[in-house]
Amino acid sequence: MPGPCALETVTCSIHHHRPLQPSLPSAMPAHRNGNLSAAPAWGFVLEGFRGGLETQALLFTVFLALYLVTVLGNLTMIMLITLDARLHSPMYFFLKNLSFLDLCYSSAIAPNAIANFFSSSKAISFAGCAMQLFFFSLLGTTEALLLAVMAYDRFMAICSPLRYPVAMGPATCARLVLGAYFGGCLNSMVETSLTFRLPFCRSNHIDHFFCDVPPLLRLACASTALNELVMFAICGFILLGATLVILVSYGYITVTILRMRSGSGRYKAFSTCGSHLAAVSLFYGTGFATYGQPGTMRSTEQGKVVSTFYTLIIPMLNPLIYSLRNRDVKDALKRQGRRHTAA
């Protein structure tokens, strides 16, 4: 789940090449040695979802509605946390970063996918495909790590309330967020560089609505065993490592909450943790189904449906989960509403 990286051009022999369809804009250029370029000269075609004009119109409407709600919800959370001084705490600092990631994460995929529903070519350039995969992987991995950081923050707040203000100071919070971005960038660079080293000789039609590793691997005319192994190892390590942090944190949190004498204190703690656990379950569940197991998602249509969850639905749901179940956020919304009315 890639900072800029150099994309290498790999060659494959001409007798392995299958001619592109006549309707495609161009063919692969020949090198001086008679070999063909491993990547199409102009790029790829994102086939998207199957179906006629009515199906495409319905999907266009659904995708557009999900994306608009995602943008509105996450921008509202970012502005609310920025403007309301009562929300300037570590928990809301991480929540603000989560909203920023969800906004960028969805924006890396949705606009191009929406435009392609009524596009005749559905084309994406080779560089554009690489950049889309890079940012998708970067933001997705960073979000997975940030969710683990948020679990650790809740652990410190509930289990060590006296140490919490010092242990989770602004510098520590910033380092934790930067660490999540660093892990995302490292994974993204590895995934993107390994994927685009492959010779894409079979076709330039990607059976998906965005550039992702599994559908790109299906186009390669060389062995993808190393790519699959690396993807399984890295994504499995990230998912299992972050899951372990979350489980241990919430194990201690559960014990601490059950020892509380105050019923209102237990309710508030469970409410805050419940929102986070809901976000974790949705994101990690779809991530593990897609990337955490070797050989899964052989059905391309199944992969597309699951992909809509972590690219559109989950980024849309996160601000709703945290706002509807959080009294502080609802109170902040009311205060900002009153200020806007008074102004």
Side-chain angles (χ1 to χ4, degrees):
M1 292 175 201
C5 62
L7 300 179
E8 298 185 12
T9 303
V10 187
T11 59
C12 65
S13 301
I14 190 168
H15 61 273
H16 288 304
H17 174 62
R18 291 163 58 182
L20 297 178
Q21 298 178 10
S23 60
L24 297 180
S26 64
M28 298 180 182
H31 290 296
R32 292 179 182 177
N33 59 8
N35 290 341
L36 292 173
S37 171
W42 63 275
F44 298 96
V45 174
L46 293 169
E47 294 191 346
F49 292 89
R50 296 187 179 94
L53 187 60
E54 291 184 358
T55 302
Q56 299 301 310
L58 176 62
L59 289 171
F60 170 83
T61 304
V62 172
F63 270 55
L64 181 61
L66 289 173
Y67 181 60
L68 291 177
V69 175
T70 298
V71 171
L72 179 62
N74 285 289
L75 279 178
T76 300
M77 290 297 294
I78 292 170
M79 294 177 63
L80 187 65
I81 295 171
T82 301
L83 296 174
D84 198 299
R86 299 186 188 183
L87 299 182
H88 292 177
S89 66
M91 184 180 84
Y92 293 106
F93 171 75
F94 294 129
L95 183 54
K96 180 180 175 179
N97 278 276
L98 179 66
S99 293
F100 175 75
L101 282 171
D102 280 335
L103 180 62
C104 296
Y105 190 51
S106 187
S107 296
I109 305 298
N112 185 72
I114 291 169
N116 279 343
F117 281 118
F118 294 115
S119 171
S120 57
S121 66
K122 300 182 185 294
I124 184 171
S125 68
F126 182 75
C129 186
M131 292 301 291
Q132 188 179 61
L133 175 60
F134 173 80
F135 284 110
F136 165 72
S137 181
L138 165 64
L139 296 166
T141 306
T142 303
E143 180 160 339
L145 296 173
L146 183 63
L147 289 170
V149 169
M150 293 172 71
Y152 175 73
D153 171 70
R154 292 297 82 208
F155 160 73
M156 291 298 298
I158 295 172
C159 300
S160 302
L162 298 179
R163 292 180 51 213
Y164 181 68
V166 177
M168 298 298 292
T172 301
C173 293
R175 283 196 292 267
L176 288 171
V177 170
L178 288 174
Y181 273 98
F182 176 78
C185 186
L186 184 62
N187 176 51
S188 188
M189 290 175 66
V190 172
E191 291 286 358
T192 305
S193 59
L194 283 178
T195 300
F196 284 90
R197 278 197 181 101
L198 292 170
F200 299 111
C201 304
R202 292 179 179 172
S203 171
N204 64 348
H205 282 242
I206 300 174
D207 193 8
H208 212 299
F209 63 91
F210 69 96
C211 293
D212 197 8
V213 175
L216 280 167
L217 294 185
R218 297 189 190 103
L219 303 184
C221 59
S223 174
T224 60
L226 176 62
N227 297 70
E228 293 177 3
L229 179 62
V230 170
M231 184 176 71
F232 170 68
I234 294 179
C235 295
F237 175 77
I238 291 170
L239 288 172
L240 292 177
T243 301
L244 182 62
V245 171
I246 292 169
L247 290 176
V248 171
S249 297
Y250 276 102
Y252 281 104
I253 288 170
T254 302
V255 172
T256 303
I257 291 175
L258 292 175
R259 290 177 179 174
M260 290 180 178
R261 296 180 180 180
S262 169
S264 61
R266 283 197 299 269
Y267 174 78
K268 183 177 180 180
F270 272 125
S271 178
T272 303
C273 295
S275 300
H276 181 252
L277 282 174
V280 168
S281 300
L282 287 169
F283 190 83
Y284 278 63
T286 54
F288 184 77
T290 307
Y291 304 105
Q293 306 175 70
T296 57
M297 289 298 161
R298 295 302 181 190
S299 168
T300 55
E301 293 305 308
Q302 181 186 10
K304 293 174 193 176
V305 172
V306 173
S307 296
T308 60
F309 274 87
Y310 58 78
T311 57
L312 284 168
I313 297 176
I314 294 175
M316 178 199 69
L317 289 177
N318 279 344
L320 298 177
I321 290 171
Y322 281 101
S323 61
L324 294 177
R325 294 178 55 89
N326 191 302
R327 183 184 296 274
D328 293 337
V329 173
K330 288 187 284 188
D331 290 343
L333 278 170
K334 292 176 183 177
R335 286 193 295 270
Q336 294 301 319
R338 286 194 296 266
R339 289 178 185 174
H340 179 72
T341 303

